[in-house]
Every structure is written in structure tokens, then in C-alpha cells.
Amino acid sequence: MKKVLSLAIAAALVAPAAVMADATLFGKAHFIIENVDDGDTDVWGVDSIHSRVGVKGSEDLGGGLKAVYHFEFKVNQDSGSGLGDRNQFMGLAGGFGTALLGRHDTPMKIAQGKFDEFGDLPNGDLANVIPGDDRVDNVIAYVSPAMGGLTFVGALVSGERPDLELDGPADHISLAGLYSNGPIFASLAYNSYDLGQPVDAEPSLLRLTGIWNGGMWQVGVMWASMDLDLDGVDDPDYLGLSGHVKVGSGKIKAQYLMGDSTNGGVSGLVPGFTPNVNVGFPVSDPENDVTQFSVGYEHSMSKRTKAHVGFTSYEEDETEVESDAFFAGLIHSF
Amino acid sequence: MKKVLSLAIAAALVAPAAVMADATLFGKAHFIIENVDDGDTDVWGVDSIHSRVGVKGSEDLGGGLKAVYHFEFKVNQDSGSGLGDRNQFMGLAGGFGTALLGRHDTPMKIAQGKFDEFGDLPNGDLANVIPGDDRVDNVIAYVSPAMGGLTFVGALVSGERPDLELDGPADHISLAGLYSNGPIFASLAYNSYDLGQPVDAEPSLLRLTGIWNGGMWQVGVMWASMDLDLDGVDDPDYLGLSGHVKVGSGKIKAQYLMGDSTNGGVSGLVPGFTPNVNVGFPVSDPENDVTQFSVGYEHSMSKRTKAHVGFTSYEEDETEVESDAFFAGLIHSF
Amino acid sequence: MKKVLSLAIAAALVAPAAVMADATLFGKAHFIIENVDDGDTDVWGVDSIHSRVGVKGSEDLGGGLKAVYHFEFKVNQDSGSGLGDRNQFMGLAGGFGTALLGRHDTPMKIAQGKFDEFGDLPNGDLANVIPGDDRVDNVIAYVSPAMGGLTFVGALVSGERPDLELDGPADHISLAGLYSNGPIFASLAYNSYDLGQPVDAEPSLLRLTGIWNGGMWQVGVMWASMDLDLDGVDDPDYLGLSGHVKVGSGKIKAQYLMGDSTNGGVSGLVPGFTPNVNVGFPVSDPENDVTQFSVGYEHSMSKRTKAHVGFTSYEEDETEVESDAFFAGLIHSF
């Protein structure tokens, strides 16, 4: 019982120079200089692009089973916010695959593979046009082992909003099948969202991704279609093309995205309604065609450090919103 | 002086690949799936249960003295909050014991030892019923060395609210004596809180804990009594019983807690008044009898990883508030 | 392509026990007990004094070039705020010097060298009286290599406030030249701030620092002058003297600061206006003479651990604001 007491106090009060188990500190620094011209203003800026830091680790539990954990935080260099949230979860991994609990990217987001050549960039990211790149709280997720190149990923998301009559363990669902074989990657992903009361709609999203990577070249295509489950509103479709070609120790990359509407929040469609899950839905007007075109060059200074430059042009058809963005940045992963 | 300059710039601008001294990264991942039925709603959810990450270390200063520091943060997986605060302090440790400054669990909280079989769980934690499990800012604390099984822990808390006439170094006090001998653990703890103006009351709390741990079995009892120092309000008493029995590599555990009132905040008792210290006080009605009963099973997958399932029933006598909660979770310490 | 898939999932879902590259965990714990008497109230308190924790690292890119990153956060022990922001940046370092992007101390702040004997202390810090100790977002900075004892540091700061017509890459500028030779350190620093519309003023600040450190003794002098660029307001000047003498394994230190006005925010001068950059400007009345005098003793318990005590007296001439502060603290760097 002496041990109980000394442990209680030691844990609470004294900091012993214990061994760090296998906790791993990891992260990514990504900063850019950018110039964004939206017709009205022409603004220079410096930004942290989803810079992040985290702690992760695993423990072998024997019998092929291991415990895994992962706490990741966003580093905002702009005014006043300390750390933001990224994937934060724990789980068990074994021959059966991996099961986990916490905050996580949806299977649909994972299923994009390496399609997005301009990921994370505020001007350039896939998510500006095509919905489905979501990270959600309160997830129960499962990743199967790879079976003949095929992997299945599924996530159940509890809404935790009894006031909206969202009280189940699977108010929202995201499912994905991924196939990888030699130069080919393909995926099919499906999301179903229960918006709860008073909307009483269950929109769904289907997204297909195909990528061919022959070493020197990569080309990718993504197609997505949303069933809004709302009367009198046309269902939007989305198309994306991306690719790169290696040049020396760098690559030239390009990406074209188009869709029947802005990827915004459901609040635009259902006035006064804030959805209980952070998902992308068309804003206001599904007739508002959107296009985003990006070109860039990425130079590998090492396996962990890259420099890049690029240009993105974004345009909305009906609202006449448009912007041209130049950016140059540095990325270092640790 | 060259060194001064190069240090100033090096410290500020360049990140040298310095040695990590003896800083230790530590933490705990604890996530559950739960179902809570409160009569009106029946809600499923996924939660991070005081998941945490921190940095701690110590330095030998010679002569038996060492410097210790401990920065610990809460990981909230639910929407939007980055990191929260847990114990954050520094101090000196030596033959005289440990003295420290910062944010810390009160000695009364430490003095519960291993009584709480369902600690941290939103449905199950001791603190839902019995007050005294507080973490406070602005603490000067002292932990004596163990003397014949006896340890003394004391904390002085400055209110730092001159507007309430709380301006001393010891507006609040928490004291505890802990005794540990073979299978026996016992503690006596006393808190005194100065609520400041305009309330002009100094409530106090007395808490006794006894635990017997014979290896296979553990049983614990806790008794607490609060002197509210407010006219026309009965002083509440609290009683808790807990225990577990080892079964294979796991343990079956149970806990019963009862009290004369909810453990809430003083704002309920003194309308319009927010106390300057995060302490538990009865809410509204000390006649409102509260009971909380929990049973569970905890399985050790390794020294650092556990799985658990449990059930907690909570009931308030007069308000008729009640809830039944099932939960299953994973815990990994690192 | 199998690798693409497994990487995507591994990165997102499973936490491999990877090697920690050369990420370094670093920080500082600094806590004090203080008593502040401002004539009206006499308040005791416990505070975290810019306690901090961070992650930094560098990677050799070959050819004398390396990538550097540095994410640093403030640890607030007072109520409810998790982590705050300090320097957060990444960059490239080589024979040409260091170039970086992110949030950073201004060159003017760096150019104070080791002048401030009471840095960080809420009562005692240089910044209470003399402006120029700023940390700003959206910085592009450059540090030259040392050339014959001479180093140049420059920072361009984008305002990122097109609503105020601040949209360039260098709305604010901070430049400094630092010279170090044997016992001598000297610096000249210049800041220019564009306040944007509707103020249409570009205040500037000039700051000179000289320090002589002969081993046993150090003396420093700082002079600063601000050009407010506002009609009908006198431009304030500032003077600071600091020094210490070594006594055994400690040092006795003293500092005297005076200025023509409080170092506050520009909002005082321009009612209703919140500046877009965190810089110090005189508050309300440049005729309001300010003096701050501090004495203290600092004892080195090891290279990384110090204990200190001190006293600071602060006085404003016209407003009759004054305070006397005693403090005693512990500092541990890791």
C-alpha cells in the first residue's frame, strides 16, 4: 500500500526522469508567401499551411495485437490561437485490421489517395470545390487489412445532438473501398449524413477516384455526385483532373476541378440551420458553376524538405466571385 | 560578447539540433463509447476521457536537491478546442520534501489515493457526488517526505481577486495527511475556501478516506462533510464505498456514492455569484439526496493498456434527475 | 502504387513507432510568487512567467544548406487557456545567413541583446516602459552571417488587412544592425509601422543599445525615440540603464527605465482604432512621464536552474499610477 501512496503523489507532484516509452514527436512545418487578387483587393500575406505537431505511439500487446494512439494539433501562426485540432484517436491494430475511436479524417477523405496535387493550400486544395474531405469528431472507424490489393475503411459517426434527434452511434456514415495494384489506384467512397430535425433530410455523397502512376507521370481523375435529399434543389456533380510529371528532383503539377456549386456549409441551403457535423454541402445555389485551375512546381530538397511555387485561378459562374493566387512555400516533415 | 550576440540570435532565430536534456513526453489516451439514457433522451457517443499529453523533467542540482517541472494538457477530441489545462508547475525536491508553484490538484484530491474505481469517467467519477476533487491555479504546495508511512501535503491558494477582497497568499487552503502501511491506506483532508465579498462566507470541507488492499481484494470507504457557513442552509454530508476483486488479468469493480446534495458550483447557492476558485459546492438544494452506483470490469492488456466496460446509475431524490450510462473504453498510458 | 495506398492509410490511421528524426523538445519553466501594491490594493499571487514549451529541429540539405523549424508555445498556468503563441516559423539557413517565414520577434526586439535584466517579469520587463519589444505574425525575416562582428537582421511584415488598405508584403518593417566584439555589444534598430486607413500615419521607432560586459560587471544603456507621425502630439523619447555584478554563483542586478509616455497601444492615441499589428505605442498622453526602477538578485543553482528575488517600483507622473512589486521565483530551462 506504500506503493499506492507514493504513486499517487509521484504521479501528481513529482516529475521523475522516466523513460519516454515509444512516444514519437512528429509534425510538419509548411509556410507560404502568397498574393491573392480577387478583383477588388490584391493582398500579400504569409501563412502557416496546416503546420502541425503531434505525439503518437504504439505498444505491442502480444498475439499480433497492438495498441495505437495519435494526438495531432494544428499550429496556427496567425494571431492568437495556440493549437487547433487534427486527428486525435486511439485504437487496436492486429491481423483483423485497425479499429479506432476519436476524431479522424473520414474514409472518403482517405480514399482520395494522392489525387490532390495542391492539398492543404488555401488556394488550390481539392476541398475548395469537391466535397468529402472532412475530419469529424466522435468516430468509430475500422480499416481492414489489404486483401489482394483491396482495403476497406468504414466510419460510424455519432451526432451527439439529441436536441436534433441525432442520438445514435451511426448518425453519419462514411465507407470506402480502395484498390491498389502496381501503377493503379482506385477508390469508391460513400457518405451518408443525417441532418436531424427540423430538416429531416439525409443527403449522401458518392465519390470515385482513379490514379495511374507510372513513375515519371501521374494522372488522376475524381468524380463526385451529391444527393441533397431536398425538394426543389438540383443535385450537384463534381469532376476533378490532376497530374504531375517528374523533372529532375522536382515535379511539375497541374489540377483542374469543376462542380455544380460551391463546397460550403449546409447553412446556405437551409437558412438558420447549423449542421451538427463538419461536412461540405453546396452553398445557396447549385446552379452556380465553380472551376479551379492550378499549376505548380515542387522541388525536393531532401526526402523531408520541399520548396514549391504555384498559381491557382478560381471562378464562380453566377456570383462572379473570382481570385488569382500566386504562392511560394517551404515544407518540412519531421 | 560575441557569444552574447550569437546566443541572442541563435535562441531567437535558428533551431540548433540540441540535445533534449531529460525532458520526458508523457500522456494518456482514454476513449470510450457510451450510451446515456436520462429518461428523456437515449444518446450514443464517443468521447475522449481526460486524454492528456505533457512534458516533464527534473535536474539534479547537487546536495540531494533537484529541480522539477511538469506541464500537462488535456486533449479534447470534441469540437474545436486544441489543448486544455491540467497540472502545470515547477518546484524543488530534496530531503525536506517537495515544494512547488503553479496549477495543481489540491492535497484533498491527492488524498483520495486509489479510492475512485471509476475516476475520469463522466458517468462514474467520484466528483459527480462528493466534493473535493479540485485542481486550482495559483498554488504554493508542499509535500513532506514519507515519515513512518505518514505523509503531509499542504497547499496555499492565492485568490488574486482584489475586487472581492481576496488578495492574500492563502485565501484558500487545502491540507491532507496520508498514512500508508502494508495493506492499509488512510487519509484525512481539510479544505477552507474564502468566497470573498460580497458573500463573506468561508465554507470548509472535511474528507476521510480509508482503503484496505489485500492483493486480490480492495475495499474503500470515504466520508465527507461540508460546513457551508451560510445561514438557513443545512450542511451536507457524503458517503462513498468502493471496491474491486481481481479476476484473471482483470478486475471486477463497484462503487456506491451518496450525498445530501449535488456537487455543483457555489453559484447555485448564491445567485449571481461566480466563485473565484474552481471548487465543488452544493447546488440549490442540500435536501436533494443524490446516489450514484457503478459496476464494471477492467481488463489489463499490458502494464500500460487496459480495456474496460461498465454501467453507472445516477439519481437525484427531489429533482428526479436520473441517468443510466453504459460505457466501454480503451486506456493507454505513455 | 501499393505504397501510395498503404502510406495514405498508415499516415492517417495507424501510428507506427517511427524514429523521432531530430525533433527537439525544449522549453522553460518560470514561476514566481509576487506581491503588488498599487496604493489601492495590495495583492499576493502566483504566476507563470512566460513559461513555454516547443518543438524545433533542423535538417542538413547538403551544400551547406539546412532547413530549420521552430514551434514554440506559451504555458499559461492561470485559468483556462491551454497554450498561447510564441515564435513559430520555418526557414533555410546557410552561408548566406538565415531566411524564415512565420511568427517571430522583431529584429528590434532581438537587438536588445542581454540589456533587459528583468525580462519577462510582469513588473520589471523593459517593455513596460520602452516600446519595440514586439512579436508579430506574417513575417519574412533575414539574419545575415556575422561579418567581422557585425550582423544584420531584417523583417518585412504583411499587414493582411485590405480593409485598412494594408495589403503589401512589407506594410511594417523592422531592421537592426548588431555589433559584437570582445566585451562590447552595440545595436541600432529601426521600425516603421503603417497604421493603414483611416489613420494614414506611419510612425517609426529608433532604438540604440550599448552593453559592456567585462565578466564580473555588465552595464547597458538603451535610448529610443518614436516619431508618431501624428499632428499635435509630441514625440516621446525613452532612456534605459541596466547592469549587474557577479557575486559568488549569483549576480546583483539593477535597472532604471524612463520615458515620455506609457508603452501602450495606439488605440489610446487614436480613439476607436485597433491597430493591425501588435506594437507598442504611447497611450493617451505623451506628457505622462514614466519611470520604472528594479533591483534584484539571481542565484544560479545550475546552468539550467536559477532562483531570483527582486523589487520593482513603477510610477507615472501625471496619472499618478504607481506600483511597488516584490517577487521571488524559480527558472528552469530544458
Side-chain angles (χ1 to χ4, degrees):
Chain A
M1 202 64 195
K2 206 164 209 165
K3 207 174 145 203
V4 170
L5 172 58
S6 60
L7 275 180
I9 294 178
L13 286 171
V14 183
V19 178
M20 202 188 290
D22 52 358
T24 299
L25 201 59
F26 70 96
K28 183 158 135 177
H30 184 180
F31 287 80
I32 62 167
I33 300 171
E34 65 180 342
N35 177 274
V36 182
D37 182 346
D38 68 2
D40 292 326
T41 64
D42 181 351
V43 184
W44 287 87
V46 173
D47 273 312
S48 162
I49 305 303
H50 294 271
S51 290
R52 65 202 70 169
V53 63
V55 181
K56 65 184 178 183
S58 66
E59 184 194 15
D60 195 333
L61 300 172
L65 195 66
K66 60 178 181 175
V68 297
Y69 67 92
H70 180 117
F71 294 157
E72 187 176 332
F73 305 92
K74 186 177 171 190
V75 177
N76 305 301
Q77 75 97 26
D78 269 305
S79 302
S81 35
L83 288 171
D85 293 308
R86 294 181 56 86
N87 288 346
Q88 294 158 355
F89 61 87
M90 75 178 301
L92 293 172
F96 65 91
T98 301
L100 57 88
L101 296 174
R103 180 201 310 270
H104 206 281
D105 292 345
T106 57
M108 180 174 282
K109 184 175 183 190
I110 295 168
Q112 74 172 264
K114 301 205 157 186
F115 173 84
D116 194 356
E117 300 278 359
F118 295 84
D120 286 349
L121 289 161
N123 296 285
D125 194 289
L126 169 65
N128 291 346
V129 178
I130 304 182
D133 274 17
D134 306 310
R135 178 177 300 125
V136 288
D137 302 335
N138 310 320
V139 169
I140 306 170
Y142 168 73
V143 188
S144 81
M147 298 161 296
L150 207 63
T151 303
F152 167 78
V153 195
L156 310 181
V157 183
S158 55
E160 301 193 3
R161 287 287 300 271
D163 56 320
L164 305 178
E165 291 181 24
L166 293 173
D167 52 18
D171 295 315
H172 317 294
I173 292 171
S174 183
L175 305 172
L178 295 81
Y179 177 74
S180 180
N181 191 345
I184 294 171
F185 170 86
S187 72
L188 172 63
Y190 173 79
N191 280 3
S192 168
Y193 317 91
D194 188 341
L195 298 186
Q197 296 305 327
V199 178
D200 199 22
E202 297 197 19
S204 64
L205 178 65
L206 193 72
R207 208 162 86 167
L208 280 84
T209 307
I211 302 174
W212 182 89
N213 185 311
M216 277 297 285
W217 287 84
Q218 174 176 307
V219 289
V221 59
M222 181 182 282
W223 177 81
S225 179
M226 183 166 260
D227 174 356
L228 291 171
D229 192 21
L230 294 170
D231 291 338
V233 185
D234 283 352
D235 290 330
D237 295 325
Y238 304 87
L239 182 69
L241 300 170
S242 73
H244 69 248
V245 55
K246 287 194 180 170
V247 179
S249 60
K251 58 183 179 183
I252 295 170
K253 52 193 193 165
Q255 187 162 292
Y256 180 78
L257 309 170
M258 58 180 287
D260 282 335
S261 69
T262 318
N263 170 32
V266 76
S267 50
L269 274 178
V270 185
F273 177 73
T274 303
N276 70 312
V277 57
N278 175 30
V279 294
F281 285 104
V283 162
S284 341
D285 181 6
E287 306 296 318
N288 184 24
D289 289 348
V290 178
T291 53
Q292 181 176 283
F293 176 68
S294 305
V295 288
Y297 172 70
E298 189 178 293
H299 176 71
S300 290
M301 306 175 82
S302 78
K303 274 203 166 184
R304 290 162 41 207
T305 305
K306 289 174 189 170
H308 67 90
V309 294
F311 168 77
T312 291
S313 177
Y314 176 91
E315 207 175 318
E316 295 182 17
D317 186 10
E318 302 222 338
T319 61
E320 294 182 9
V321 168
E322 58 172 25
S323 69
D324 287 345
F326 287 94
F327 43 85
L330 273 178
I331 303 176
H332 176 77
S333 300
F334 57 96
Chain B
M1 202 62 194
K2 206 164 210 164
K3 209 174 143 201
V4 170
L5 171 58
S6 60
L7 275 179
I9 295 178
L13 285 172
V14 184
V19 178
M20 202 190 290
D22 51 358
T24 299
L25 202 57
F26 70 96
K28 183 159 135 177
H30 184 181
F31 287 80
I32 62 168
I33 301 172
E34 63 180 341
N35 176 273
V36 183
D37 182 345
D38 67 2
D40 292 326
T41 65
D42 181 352
V43 184
W44 287 88
V46 174
D47 274 311
S48 162
I49 304 304
H50 295 271
S51 290
R52 64 201 72 168
V53 63
V55 181
K56 65 184 178 183
S58 65
E59 184 194 15
D60 194 333
L61 300 172
L65 196 65
K66 60 179 182 173
V68 297
Y69 67 92
H70 179 117
F71 294 157
E72 187 176 332
F73 305 93
K74 187 178 171 190
V75 177
N76 305 301
Q77 74 96 27
D78 270 305
S79 302
S81 35
L83 289 170
D85 293 309
R86 294 181 55 86
N87 288 346
Q88 294 159 356
F89 61 87
M90 76 178 300
L92 293 173
F96 65 90
T98 301
L100 58 87
L101 296 175
R103 179 201 311 270
H104 205 282
D105 292 344
T106 57
M108 181 175 280
K109 184 175 182 190
I110 295 168
Q112 73 173 264
K114 301 205 157 186
F115 173 84
D116 194 354
E117 300 278 359
F118 295 84
D120 286 349
L121 289 161
N123 296 284
D125 194 289
L126 169 66
N128 291 346
V129 178
I130 303 181
D133 274 17
D134 306 310
R135 178 177 299 125
V136 289
D137 302 335
N138 310 320
V139 169
I140 306 169
Y142 169 71
V143 188
S144 80
M147 298 161 294
L150 207 64
T151 304
F152 167 78
V153 194
L156 310 181
V157 184
S158 55
E160 300 193 3
R161 287 289 299 274
D163 56 320
L164 305 178
E165 293 182 23
L166 292 173
D167 52 18
D171 295 315
H172 316 293
I173 292 172
S174 182
L175 306 172
L178 295 80
Y179 177 73
S180 179
N181 192 344
I184 293 171
F185 170 86
S187 71
L188 171 63
Y190 172 79
N191 280 4
S192 168
Y193 318 91
D194 188 340
L195 299 186
Q197 297 302 327
V199 178
D200 199 20
E202 298 197 18
S204 63
L205 178 65
L206 192 71
R207 207 163 88 168
L208 280 84
T209 306
I211 301 174
W212 183 88
N213 185 311
M216 277 297 285
W217 286 84
Q218 174 175 309
V219 289
V221 58
M222 180 182 282
W223 177 82
S225 180
M226 182 166 261
D227 174 356
L228 291 171
D229 192 21
L230 293 170
D231 291 337
V233 185
D234 284 351
D235 290 330
D237 295 324
Y238 303 87
L239 182 68
L241 300 170
S242 74
H244 70 248
V245 55
K246 286 193 180 169
V247 179
S249 60
K251 58 183 179 184
I252 295 170
K253 51 192 193 166
Q255 188 161 294
Y256 179 79
L257 309 170
M258 58 179 288
D260 283 336
S261 69
T262 318
N263 170 31
V266 76
S267 50
L269 275 177
V270 185
F273 177 73
T274 303
N276 71 311
V277 57
N278 175 30
V279 292
F281 285 104
V283 163
S284 338
D285 181 4
E287 306 295 320
N288 183 24
D289 288 348
V290 178
T291 54
Q292 181 176 283
F293 177 68
S294 305
V295 288
Y297 172 70
E298 189 178 295
H299 177 71
S300 290
M301 306 175 82
S302 78
K303 273 203 168 186
R304 289 162 44 207
T305 305
K306 290 174 189 170
H308 67 89
V309 294
F311 167 77
T312 292
S313 176
Y314 176 91
E315 206 175 318
E316 295 183 17
D317 186 10
E318 302 220 338
T319 62
E320 294 182 8
V321 168
E322 59 173 23
S323 69
D324 286 344
F326 286 94
F327 44 85
L330 274 178
I331 303 176
H332 177 78
S333 300
F334 57 95
Chain C
M1 202 62 194
K2 205 165 212 165
K3 207 174 144 201
V4 169
L5 171 58
S6 59
L7 274 180
I9 295 178
L13 285 172
V14 184
V19 178
M20 201 190 289
D22 52 358
T24 298
L25 202 58
F26 69 96
K28 182 158 136 178
H30 184 181
F31 287 80
I32 62 167
I33 301 172
E34 64 179 343
N35 176 272
V36 182
D37 182 345
D38 68 1
D40 291 327
T41 64
D42 182 350
V43 184
W44 287 87
V46 174
D47 274 312
S48 162
I49 304 304
H50 295 271
S51 291
R52 64 202 72 167
V53 63
V55 181
K56 65 184 178 183
S58 66
E59 185 193 15
D60 194 334
L61 300 172
L65 195 66
K66 60 180 182 174
V68 297
Y69 67 91
H70 180 117
F71 294 157
E72 186 176 332
F73 305 92
K74 187 178 171 191
V75 177
N76 305 301
Q77 74 96 28
D78 270 304
S79 303
S81 35
L83 288 170
D85 293 309
R86 293 181 55 87
N87 288 346
Q88 294 158 356
F89 61 87
M90 76 178 299
L92 294 173
F96 64 91
T98 302
L100 57 88
L101 296 174
R103 180 201 310 269
H104 206 281
D105 292 344
T106 57
M108 181 175 281
K109 184 175 181 189
I110 295 168
Q112 75 173 263
K114 301 205 156 187
F115 174 84
D116 195 354
E117 300 278 359
F118 295 84
D120 286 349
L121 290 161
N123 297 284
D125 194 288
L126 169 65
N128 291 347
V129 178
I130 304 181
D133 273 17
D134 305 310
R135 178 177 299 125
V136 288
D137 302 335
N138 311 319
V139 170
I140 306 170
Y142 169 72
V143 188
S144 80
M147 299 161 292
L150 207 63
T151 304
F152 167 77
V153 193
L156 309 181
V157 184
S158 54
E160 301 193 4
R161 287 288 299 272
D163 56 321
L164 305 178
E165 292 181 25
L166 293 173
D167 51 19
D171 296 315
H172 316 294
I173 292 171
S174 183
L175 306 172
L178 295 80
Y179 177 73
S180 180
N181 191 346
I184 293 171
F185 170 86
S187 71
L188 171 63
Y190 173 79
N191 280 4
S192 168
Y193 318 92
D194 188 341
L195 299 187
Q197 296 304 329
V199 177
D200 199 21
E202 298 196 18
S204 64
L205 178 66
L206 192 72
R207 207 162 87 167
L208 279 84
T209 307
I211 302 175
W212 182 88
N213 185 312
M216 276 298 285
W217 287 83
Q218 174 176 308
V219 289
V221 60
M222 180 182 281
W223 177 82
S225 179
M226 183 166 260
D227 175 356
L228 291 171
D229 192 21
L230 293 170
D231 291 336
V233 185
D234 284 352
D235 290 330
D237 296 324
Y238 304 87
L239 182 68
L241 300 170
S242 73
H244 70 249
V245 55
K246 286 194 181 169
V247 179
S249 59
K251 58 183 179 182
I252 295 170
K253 51 193 193 166
Q255 188 162 292
Y256 179 78
L257 309 170
M258 58 178 288
D260 282 335
S261 68
T262 317
N263 170 32
V266 76
S267 49
L269 275 177
V270 186
F273 177 72
T274 303
N276 71 313
V277 56
N278 175 29
V279 293
F281 285 105
V283 162
S284 340
D285 181 6
E287 306 295 319
N288 184 22
D289 289 349
V290 178
T291 53
Q292 181 176 283
F293 177 67
S294 305
V295 288
Y297 173 70
E298 189 178 292
H299 176 71
S300 290
M301 304 174 83
S302 78
K303 273 203 169 184
R304 289 161 44 207
T305 305
K306 290 173 189 172
H308 67 90
V309 294
F311 168 77
T312 292
S313 176
Y314 176 91
E315 207 175 316
E316 294 182 17
D317 186 10
E318 302 220 339
T319 62
E320 294 182 7
V321 168
E322 58 172 24
S323 70
D324 286 344
F326 287 93
F327 43 86
L330 273 178
I331 303 176
H332 176 78
S333 301
F334 57 95

